[in-house]
Each structure stands twice: as C-alpha cells, then as structure tokens.
Amino acid sequence: MSEQPLISGRGTCWKDKRSPNTYRYYFSLGVKDPKTGRYKRSPTYTVRCKTKTEAKAAMQAKLAEINSSGTITKTKKPTLLASYCWAFHENRNTELAPTSYEREAYDCRHIEDLFGAFQTIEGLTPDLIEEAYAEARRTGKYKPSELVRINSKLRQILSNAVAKRIIDRNPCATVHVRRPRNKRESLTIDQVATLCTHLQHIELTAEAVGTLVLVYTGMRKGEMLGLEWRDWDPANKTLKIDRQYTNDHELRAPKSQESQRKIPVGETLAERLQSWSAIQKELLASLGLSQTGSTPIISDIAVEQGVPTVCHMKNYIFNHWFRDFAVSCNLGIYEPNNSTGGKLYKGICPHQLRHCVSTFMLANGSDVRSVQGILGHADPNITLKTYTSLVQQSEIKAVKGYEDFINAYIQRSEK
C-alpha cells in the first residue's frame, strides 16, 4: 500500500470500446508530477455494468472508500518491459516463420539493451524512448535501419500491453524514427548475363524458375509466388497475373487494378516453364500428388501430420535461396553481423530484376506504354488505355527484343 495525495474532482469515466458492458475510470490527485509537469492521477479502475449511471455509482462508492481510508491502494505490480517483451515473443512461436521469429528475438534483445532489465512499462514515456534512441545514434550503437525495426517492434509490444490494460496509452505511438532511404539501382547488363548464365547451368528447381520469371518478365516477387499453372497459356505464350502471395502467406489481389494483366513470354522462358512443368509433375507423382490448374508454379512441399501437400513457396524461403545463389554468382556476399551475431547479406535483391526489365526494354527502343503494361504500373491517363490491340502487339515486340538482347550478350561474352 502506498500513500497518495487527496483526490481532486469527481473523476473521469468512459466506456471501454473493446469489451461490452465495461467502463473504466480514474481520479485526479490534484498535484503535479515534478518530473513531467502533469497532474498525477489514481490507477485506472474497471467496473462491469450496463449503463454509465451504474458506472458512476461505482465510481462514487470507490471515491467514498478512498476518502474514508485516506489512501489509495495500488495492488498492481509494475510490469518489467524486458520480461513482457520476451513473454510476448514466446507466445508467437507458432505464428511466425522461423526466420521472422529469430529476427523478433534480436529485436527483443535490442529493446532490453536500450532500456535496461529493470525499466517498467508503466514508467515509459515518449521523451524517455526518444532519449534512448538519441543516445544510440550518438554512440553509433545501432544503425538507423535497426532503430526503425526496434521502434516498430516496441510499438507493437506496447499496443499489446494496452490491449491487456497494463497501460492506458501507448507511449511509443507518437515516437517516429525516420526510415533511411536506400536507392535500389538496376543491375548492369554484365550482372544480368552472369545471372542468366548461372541459371542455365544449375538444376531446374522452383526457386530457379521463379528467378527466371523475374528476370524475363519484371513482375513483382509476390506476383511470381502467386502464379499457378492455370495462369500459363503455352499456346499464346502468356502469363496471367490476378493474384499475389503475400508475406503473411495469403493469396490476395494484386497491388492495383492495372496489375491484373497478361504478360507475353519469350521463347527462352517458355521452354523453361514447359520443362519445369514436366519435372514438377514427376516430383508430385512420386509423393502421391497430382499437378492441376491450381497447383502453384513456384511450389513447395509442406507436411502436415505426415501427409505431404503442395503449396505456394513462402517469401522467406525464396529469399534465402536467392541470396545463396547470388553469392555463388559473385553478385553478393555474407558479412558478420556484430549486432546479432549472425551474418549480413549484401548484394543484389529480387526487386532489382524488375528495374532491369524497365531499364533495358526502354534502352532497347521499347515505348513507355508497352513497358508500363508489362510491369503493371498504374497510369491515370485513360487515353493510353484506348488502343489495347496496338499496345498488345507492341508489348510482344518489347518482350522479344529484351530477350534477344540478353541472349545476344550472353553469346558474345561466352566467345
């Protein structure tokens, strides 16, 4: 039990929007906190009733109880931030992918390092959080990108604490850490040729096919992961895009209406898709599965209760493969990550292949509208949508010219 100043006023009461038939209230204590300059207040009390009149009656009863005893009983123990972070993390073991779960552990470790093992959630203020970030910047302890991650994770954890009524407001909600802008450059033609040459000489897998699709079509990674065999038209050599596979492992609509499109495919990619279809069909048959129109092109095998099923490849699995592949092509490296104790990848990323398509197609003489149609960029100019048939022929020409451009360069470099 702790002594508190006398209560001033009748208190503040409001309905809890998250819980039915629940009201919350507190009392002003009439004195200011010398540190923050704000008026102190009592703990927040909860009462379950149907009307605000009943809640105010309970409030008056609590006020009479406090005035008669002259003290406010605060039985609630302060919650340690570090302990709450780790408990939050452990409860998400089955929700997150292994890599995401491991990364969240690093975030929790960084939060504990920044605020200490004995910092309470109730004692956190926006000023205290900003001071911790400023100190980390001054000492160079964490990079700007790492502080962005830490702040995002801290805000998520404190939102959970608000939902559990440990605190009334999220002190991190008004704290913003500027995200550093990393400019993504297009690959050079030498890098693209190196990538394609290595892809021609490795075993054809789902990841390799996915990379080929990115190289030759410039589609977004989520669109590539969402492709199914019903989207592939071998007669007309087109890939239809009307969905994407997102980071939360759900199939959703593409980024915009213009992203729902058909992309012409050149001979090189068409041959690789046909070869992969036969390889995948044989692989699935060996597991007692069949290839259908809804089978993902970029597929993975999941085992649930001992039963194998075919599913869309998850984003983090493709990313791991792509990084290892880029390192094997001397287009990326792994460096020690001192802050996590692991390794840090530096090199090309899948989205840069999208920049390559637009850069090289335009450099090869393709018109802007055709490239926009292939990449699925949103364009408010309705006039450009009028000449659909002409644009389709121009898109086919753009794809063929781009593919011939890459193949010719590879042939010259191998001589």
Side-chain angles (χ1 to χ4, degrees):
M1 183 179 292
S2 60
E3 297 294 328
Q4 298 284 355
L6 294 178
I7 288 176
S8 172
R10 292 176 295 178
T12 302
C13 176
W14 70 95
K15 188 173 183 180
D16 192 331
K17 295 181 180 180
R18 293 185 297 269
S19 303
N21 300 329
T22 303
Y23 288 81
R24 306 181 75 191
Y25 62 90
Y26 67 84
F27 303 103
S28 173
L29 302 184
V31 293
K32 289 186 177 181
D33 189 319
K35 292 183 178 179
T36 64
R38 298 177 181 176
Y39 281 100
K40 290 185 177 181
R41 67 185 197 184
S42 71
T44 300
Y45 301 98
T46 302
V47 59
R48 295 190 177 278
C49 55
K50 292 184 177 180
T51 65
K52 194 168 186 177
T53 302
E54 294 175 334
K56 286 186 174 181
M59 230 171 80
Q60 295 305 312
K62 173 60 75 173
L63 179 61
E65 176 189 335
I66 293 171
N67 287 337
S68 63
S69 63
T71 60
I72 297 176
T73 304
K74 190 173 181 179
T75 57
K76 184 178 173 183
K77 292 183 178 179
T79 305
L80 294 176
L81 174 62
S83 300
Y84 193 84
C85 283
W86 288 111
F88 173 86
H89 172 65
E90 290 171 4
N91 289 336
R92 285 158 56 85
N93 186 20
T94 57
E95 296 179 23
L96 301 177
T99 305
S100 299
Y101 187 71
E102 183 181 355
R103 177 56 66 89
E104 188 176 79
Y106 293 140
D107 294 336
C108 291
R109 194 173 296 119
H110 294 161
I111 290 171
E112 183 176 2
D113 181 48
L114 273 174
F115 298 98
F118 300 103
Q119 172 64 52
T120 63
I121 289 180
E122 295 84 352
L124 276 179
T125 64
D127 290 341
L128 191 151
I129 295 171
E130 288 178 348
E131 285 175 9
Y133 293 161
E135 180 64 20
R137 290 190 195 97
R138 280 194 296 269
T139 59
K141 194 168 191 178
Y142 294 106
K143 299 175 183 177
S145 58
E146 290 174 325
L147 286 177
V148 170
R149 282 194 58 85
I150 292 170
N151 188 61
S152 176
K153 185 55 61 178
L154 180 62
R155 184 180 295 141
Q156 182 185 16
I157 291 170
L158 292 178
S159 293
N160 182 266
V162 171
K164 292 187 176 181
R165 300 187 182 130
I166 294 173
I167 50 177
D168 295 326
R169 297 177 181 85
N170 187 340
C172 200
T174 57
V175 178
H176 301 285
V177 179
R178 182 173 294 180
R179 184 181 296 275
R181 290 185 175 273
N182 296 324
K183 188 178 180 181
R184 293 289 186 185
E185 300 288 345
S186 173
L187 272 63
T188 65
I189 184 58
D190 289 323
Q191 290 174 317
V192 175
T194 299
L195 200 68
C196 292
T197 302
H198 279 76
L199 285 168
Q200 290 176 1
H201 294 90
I202 65 171
E203 179 185 1
L204 201 59
T205 63
E207 294 92 341
V209 173
T211 305
L212 283 166
V213 170
L214 295 180
V215 169
Y216 285 108
T217 68
M219 68 175 65
R220 301 175 180 92
K221 184 170 57 174
E223 295 170 344
M224 175 270 293
L225 294 174
L227 289 173
E228 297 173 354
W229 284 114
R230 58 185 169 183
D231 302 322
W232 167 234
D233 182 354
N236 296 312
K237 293 185 174 62
T238 59
L239 280 169
K240 182 179 68 174
I241 297 173
D242 59 8
R243 76 190 74 82
Q244 61 176 328
Y245 191 62
T246 58
N247 288 337
D248 57 356
H249 312 152
E250 295 288 342
L251 287 172
R252 304 188 190 280
K255 189 174 181 179
S256 64
Q257 185 176 357
E258 287 78 5
S259 296
Q260 298 184 11
R261 62 200 188 278
K262 284 186 178 181
I263 298 180
V265 170
E267 293 294 336
T268 302
L269 181 57
E271 291 175 3
R272 302 296 271 177
L273 284 171
Q274 288 299 101
S275 299
W276 169 239
S277 176
I279 293 171
Q280 187 195 65
K281 186 180 294 184
E282 186 177 344
L283 174 63
L284 294 178
S286 68
L287 297 172
L289 303 171
S290 58
Q291 186 188 79
T292 64
S294 60
T295 300
I297 296 178
I298 316 304
S299 58
D300 195 11
I301 302 298
V303 179
E304 298 179 2
Q305 298 180 349
V307 180
T309 57
V310 62
C311 61
H312 289 269
M313 180 170 290
K314 295 178 175 59
N315 181 54
Y316 74 92
I317 294 177
F318 178 82
N319 283 345
H320 277 191
W321 181 92
F322 186 88
R323 290 169 184 169
D324 290 341
F325 177 67
V327 170
S328 71
C329 300
N330 294 320
L331 297 175
I333 57 172
Y334 285 118
E335 294 181 348
N337 189 340
N338 297 327
S339 62
T340 64
K343 57 184 181 179
L344 182 67
Y345 170 77
K346 290 185 178 180
I348 65 171
C349 69
H351 197 71
Q352 283 179 279
L353 302 178
R354 182 170 170 81
H355 296 314
C356 290
V357 173
S358 59
T359 301
F360 295 145
M361 280 188 175
L362 291 171
N364 198 44
S366 303
D367 64 276
V368 176
R369 179 64 187 94
S370 297
V371 176
Q372 286 177 339
I374 292 167
L375 298 181
H377 286 157
D379 190 340
N381 195 334
I382 301 176
T383 307
L384 291 177
K385 300 177 183 178
T386 306
Y387 305 100
T388 307
S389 58
L390 294 177
V391 167
Q392 187 176 19
Q393 294 301 318
S394 182
E395 287 177 358
I396 294 172
K397 182 180 178 181
V399 169
K400 188 177 186 306
Y402 170 63
E403 188 176 281
D404 291 344
F405 175 58
I406 292 179
N407 292 338
Y409 190 91
I410 293 174
Q411 291 173 4
R412 287 198 301 271
S413 63
E414 290 179 342
K415 289 182 180 180

